[in-house]
Amino acid sequence: MKRSGSALFDGDAAGSSELARAARSRTTVADADGAYRAELLTEYLRVQGDLAREIELLAHAQRYDNAHPTEEPLVAELVAAVEGDQYEVAA
């Protein structure tokens, strides 16, 4: 998945950029996870019709879900967004 060109995600610039250091100091894991989820959802909606990219992004979402078992499933959120359904956690 392509990341932003900002120094925050650039290993070379992140080590020397004062702006990147300041941004990292204010970024929590929850913020980063939320940003990743939003980025993946946006990209998934953008690539609709490109089956190979859809599958690739669903695989990313599945790996995320495996690493975060206590969160709402990202795969289900992606599928629901395409189907126009609002994702709901099963009771």
Side-chain angles (χ1 to χ4, degrees), residues 14-57:
S16 61
S17 168
E18 201 55 46
L19 181 60
R21 268 195 291 277
R24 278 195 316 277
S25 72
R26 293 186 308 271
T27 301
T28 66
V29 171
D31 292 340
D33 286 347
Y36 176 78
R37 291 176 69 101
E39 181 180 336
L40 194 70
L41 176 59
T42 300
E43 181 69 4
Y44 186 71
L45 292 172
R46 189 185 71 74
V47 302
Q48 288 305 293
D50 181 347
L51 188 56
R53 282 292 289 148
E54 288 179 40
I55 291 169
E56 178 184 354
L57 294 170

Side-chain angles (χ1 to χ4, degrees), residues 60-76:
H60 280 284
Q62 185 60 57
R63 284 190 292 276
Y64 180 90
D65 287 346
N66 291 342
H68 302 86
T70 61
E71 294 182 20
E72 295 177 358
L74 183 52
V75 169

